[in-house]
């Protein structure tokens, strides 16, 4: 299967980079700090139904985040208007 080949290719590539370029990665890390790459030895495979379910959950979370941002914006506008009104009355 093509996906199995791509999966093994990336794991082999990352393993090889970590093993053969250790000094170079350390030098880069001193100048540009980064966390070492973390990856699964075996890729997580999802069925179509699992993928659709995950998308629905993520879509719901995204909607909730947008709602929170909108509520925060309204609260900020209210607080600004209230401060402005208080400073004008003083």
């Amino acid at each position: 299967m093509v996906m199995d080949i791509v999966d093994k290719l990336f794991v082999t590539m990352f393993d090889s980079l970590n093993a053969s370029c250790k000094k170079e990665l350390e030098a880069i890390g001193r100048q540009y700090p980064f966390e070492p790459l973390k990856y699964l030895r075996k890729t997580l495979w999802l069925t179509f139904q699992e993928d659709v379910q995950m998308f629905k959950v993520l879509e719901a979370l995204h909607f909730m985040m947008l709602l929170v941002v909108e509520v925060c914006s309204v609260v900020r506008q209210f607080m600004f208007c209230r401060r402005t009104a208080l400073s004008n009355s003083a």
Side-chain angles (χ1 to χ4, degrees), residues 10-54:
F10 278 99
V11 170
T12 303
M13 233 173 26
F14 296 146
D15 285 346
S16 177
L17 281 171
N18 285 332
S20 63
C21 300
K22 192 169 268 210
K23 289 180 184 177
E24 291 85 350
L25 290 171
E26 289 172 359
I28 293 169
R30 284 192 296 274
Q31 189 168 357
Y32 305 102
F34 66 92
E35 290 189 29
L37 178 64
K38 296 177 185 174
Y39 53 96
L40 298 174
R41 307 290 314 155
K42 181 69 179 139
T43 300
L44 174 66
W45 294 93
L46 300 176
T47 65
F48 179 75
Q49 290 79 13
E50 291 169 327
D51 194 32
V52 168
Q53 182 61 33
M54 187 176 4

Side-chain angles (χ1 to χ4, degrees), residues 44-82:
L44 174 66
W45 294 93
L46 300 176
T47 65
F48 179 75
Q49 290 79 13
E50 291 169 327
D51 194 32
V52 168
Q53 182 61 33
M54 187 176 4
F55 179 75
K56 287 179 181 178
V57 169
L58 291 174
E59 187 177 38
L61 288 172
H62 182 247
F63 175 76
M64 290 175 15
M65 287 173 58
L66 290 175
L67 188 60
V68 167
V69 167
E70 188 63 30
V71 167
C72 289
S73 176
V74 169
V75 168
R76 265 183 294 182
Q77 290 174 4
F78 172 77
M79 295 302 289
F80 176 76
C81 291
R82 186 167 180 220

